[in-house]
């Protein structure tokens, strides 16, 4: 029983990180209609930004976090501007290949600067663990859960209630019609990349706090899992990415604890394939029929 | 108000508009009629910046808008209700209307009241998702959404498409009311008879060029027009 509760909590924590990353995939897909394959590598860059800020520049944790968010946001927006915007009218395959190229570029730049050896993330949070009876919840897990919850609520309100959020939904449905309303599609896509990348930076901070070791390829695995989570939840759907990420994390930790560490990824992906066979649009994916 | 001069527009190699010129004066209803594929929608799309001209120029309210980006035109007072309505189907009726006032925020409240007064059916359904509206209701929503920007020129692309006769009549009545309240209108219609009845002037497009133009009353009497478009 204690083991189950602890597994669930660690699953929720890991799932929160996946969800934060998955939001970037799903928002960019929903609005720019492309898979930003380089999104996972933004996490890696965010983690290095923290390491450099704290270990090399000796900056306080809060400043390091802000720097990491700023670096990732700027990087995401720059990548969109330089690599993807010129391809706005190109076939999806061209864009996908470009995104894979950007991903390798980021990894290799990191390799050049930081080398191939893994670096350890500095300890940034001194939060006491929480003991509830026999169950122990780590401070970092609590922080991850709390911050993710706040971000999800804020993001949901932003998308549903604000002018910019509504414009994003309009663009995701029909770019031309949105432009006829006076909405700049380019500006909206820039904002989307900025938000997605900032969320990836937050994810990278929690990822670093939990998994500690960072190397240039660190972003790939959480990136792929978060992408899967986005598809699982219904790509393009914001609540879907949240749900998909969390379920994926819980599933992963459950299978690690109760079945096999070695097989956990295979089990997780197996379940996902099953779900997608039954519901190809994902858990919360929308299928709206158009009226003629 | 609007002056289109010798525009040529291509879809890849297809030469869709050939030296089209037309003019809309302040306070007019101008109809653009013609067979399927004549280039009516392409003309409107080019005016609103969704398509680019290869040659020729477009002037609106004394400003050259030939190369102006699409999203900037609505704040010049140019609104376009595109073919097929293009409502945001996953957003509510009210959110759609709010999007219409995207560049005209301050007007949102007053605009909503006016649009709801004009289209009471939309008011009853304001929290409904647009995708669940009927075709006629979606047409009303698309028109209401365009009105939220308080346009000087309203371009309508086949507002009667796919509607039952009684609704067609209703849509045309609304167009007349809008016109009476001071909106200039450029109307693309398959329903040439109705269009010529409410328009001041009209242009007949044939395979990408202007075949005829003149007062709507004259064109409605013209033998060629009667045979080709009025089923006489
Ligand atoms: N996206 C496109 N790609 C290629 N050709 C196109 C495209 N859209 C329109 N065309 C071509 O351009 C020409 C003009 O089309 P347009 O849609 O302007 O006609 P229309 O007068 O609006 O016809 P309808 O009454 O059927 O709506 C047609 O020959 C059409 O096949
Ligand atoms: Mg048409």
């Amino acid at each position: 029983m204690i083991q189950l509760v602890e597994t669930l909590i660690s699953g929720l924590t890991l799932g929160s990180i996946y969800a934060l990353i998955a939001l970037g995939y799903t928002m960019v897909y929903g609005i720019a209609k492309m898979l930003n394959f380089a999104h996972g590598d933004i996490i890696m860059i965010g983690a290095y930004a923290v390491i450099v800020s704290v270990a090399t520049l000796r900056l306080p944790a809060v400043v390091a976090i802000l720097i990491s968010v700023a670096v990732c946001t700027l990087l995401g927006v720059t990548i969109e501007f330089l690599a993807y915007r010129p391809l706005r009218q190109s076939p999806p395959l061209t864009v996908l290949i470009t995104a894979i190229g950007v991903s390798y570029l980021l990894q290799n730049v990191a390799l050049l600067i930081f080398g191939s050896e893994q670096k350890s993330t500095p300890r940034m949070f001194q939060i006491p663990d929480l003991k509830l009876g026999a169950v122990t919840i780590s401070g970092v897990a609590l922080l991850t859960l709390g911050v993710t919850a706040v971000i999800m609520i804020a993001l949901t309100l932003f998308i549903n209630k604000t002018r910019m959020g509504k414009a994003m939904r309009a663009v995701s449905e029909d770019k031309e019609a949105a432009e006829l309303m006076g909405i700049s599609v380019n500006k909206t896509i820039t904002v989307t990349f900025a938000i997605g990348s900032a969320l990836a930076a937050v994810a990278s901070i929690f990822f670093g706090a939990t998994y500690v070791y960072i190397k240039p390829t660190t972003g790939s695995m959480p990136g792929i899992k978060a992408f899967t989570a986005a598809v699982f939840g219904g790509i393009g759907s914001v609540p879907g990415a949240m749900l998909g990420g969390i379920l994926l994390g819980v599933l992963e930790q459950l299978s690690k604890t109760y079945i096999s560490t070695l097989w956990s990824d295979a089990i997780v992906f197996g379940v996902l394939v099953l779900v997608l066979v039954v519901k190809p649009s994902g858990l919360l994916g929308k299928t709206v029929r158009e009226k003629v | 108000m609007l002056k289109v001069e010798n525009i040529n527009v291509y879809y890849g190699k297809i030469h869709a508009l050939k030296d089209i010129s037309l003019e809309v004066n302040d306070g007019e209803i101008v109809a653009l009629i013609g067979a399927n594929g004549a280039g009516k929608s392409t003309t409107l799309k080019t005016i609103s910046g969704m398509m680019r001209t290869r040659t020729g120029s477009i002037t609106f309210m004394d400003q050259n808008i030939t190369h102006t980006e699409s999203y900037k035109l609505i704040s010049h007072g140019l609104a376009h209700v595109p073919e097929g309505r293009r409502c945001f189907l996953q957003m509510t009726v009210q959110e759609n209307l709010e999007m219409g006032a995207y560049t005209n925020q301050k007007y949102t409240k007053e605009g909503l009241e006016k649009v709801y007064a004009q289209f009471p059916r939309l008011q009853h359904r304001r929290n409904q998702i647009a995708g669940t509206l009927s075709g006629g209701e979606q047409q009303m929503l698309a028109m209401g959404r365009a009105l939220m920007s308080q346009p000087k020129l309203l371009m309508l692309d086949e507002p009667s498409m796919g509607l039952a006769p009684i609704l067609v009549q209703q849509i045309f009545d609304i167009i007349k009311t809008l016109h009476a309240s001071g909106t200039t209108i450029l109307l693309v219609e398959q329903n040439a008879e109705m269009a010529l009845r409410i328009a001041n002037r009209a242009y007949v497009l044939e395979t990408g060029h202007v075949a005829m133009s003149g007062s709507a009353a004259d064109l409605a009497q013209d033998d060629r027009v009667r045979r080709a478009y009025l089923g006489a």
Side-chain angles (χ1 to χ4, degrees), chain B residues 84-142:
Chain B
R85 294 131 199 173
R86 311 279 285 265
C87 295
F88 301 116
L89 299 179
Q90 295 176 31
M91 298 171 83
T92 66
V93 166
Q94 182 136 335
E95 283 172 339
N96 268 273
L97 294 173
E98 285 167 9
M99 286 294 104
Y102 185 78
T103 57
N104 194 18
Q105 293 286 294
K106 283 191 226 107
Y107 179 69
T108 308
K109 198 159 165 279
E110 190 190 337
L112 285 173
E113 278 169 23
K114 279 197 182 154
V115 169
Y116 286 148
Q118 184 84 255
F119 305 98
R121 285 166 78 155
L122 294 184
Q123 181 162 29
H124 296 137
R125 300 173 181 280
R126 64 180 178 278
N127 294 321
Q128 193 170 321
I129 298 293
T132 61
L133 295 179
S134 75
E137 287 160 351
Q138 284 187 10
Q139 184 61 50
M140 293 177 196
L141 180 57

Side-chain angles (χ1 to χ4, degrees), chain A residues 160 162-164 166-167 169-171 173-188 286 288-292, chain B residues 45 48 50 70-71 74 80 82 85-92 95-96 98-100 102-103 105 131-135 138 145:
Chain A
N160 288 306
T162 66
R163 177 167 180 254
M164 189 69 218
K166 288 178 194 174
R169 282 156 62 207
V171 171
E173 274 202 54
D174 188 334
K175 288 192 179 52
E176 281 186 340
E179 291 240 318
L180 289 179
M181 303 297 112
I183 299 165
S184 162
V185 168
N186 277 336
K187 187 179 138 201
T188 312
K286 283 183 198 134
V288 174
R289 231 170 288 148
E290 293 199 22
K291 286 237 162 60
V292 193
Chain B
K45 285 202 270 187
S48 65
M50 292 158 78
S70 183
Y71 76 92
I74 199 158
H80 177 185
R85 294 131 199 173
R86 311 279 285 265
C87 295
F88 301 116
L89 299 179
Q90 295 176 31
M91 298 171 83
T92 66
E95 283 172 339
N96 268 273
E98 285 167 9
M99 286 294 104
Y102 185 78
T103 57
Q105 293 286 294
T132 61
L133 295 179
S134 75
Q138 284 187 10
R145 187 177 64 173

Side-chain angles (χ1 to χ4, degrees), chain A residues 12-14 16-17 20 139-149 206 210:
Chain A
L12 283 174
T13 312
L14 179 63
S16 299
I17 295 172
L20 288 173
V140 171
L142 280 177
L143 188 71
T144 308
L145 291 173
V147 170
T148 306
F206 294 133
T210 314

Side-chain angles (χ1 to χ4, degrees), chain A residues 130-152:
Chain A
L130 181 70
K131 282 201 172 29
L132 292 172
V135 178
T136 310
I137 310 172
S138 82
V140 171
L142 280 177
L143 188 71
T144 308
L145 291 173
V147 170
T148 306
V150 170
I151 285 179
M152 286 184 177

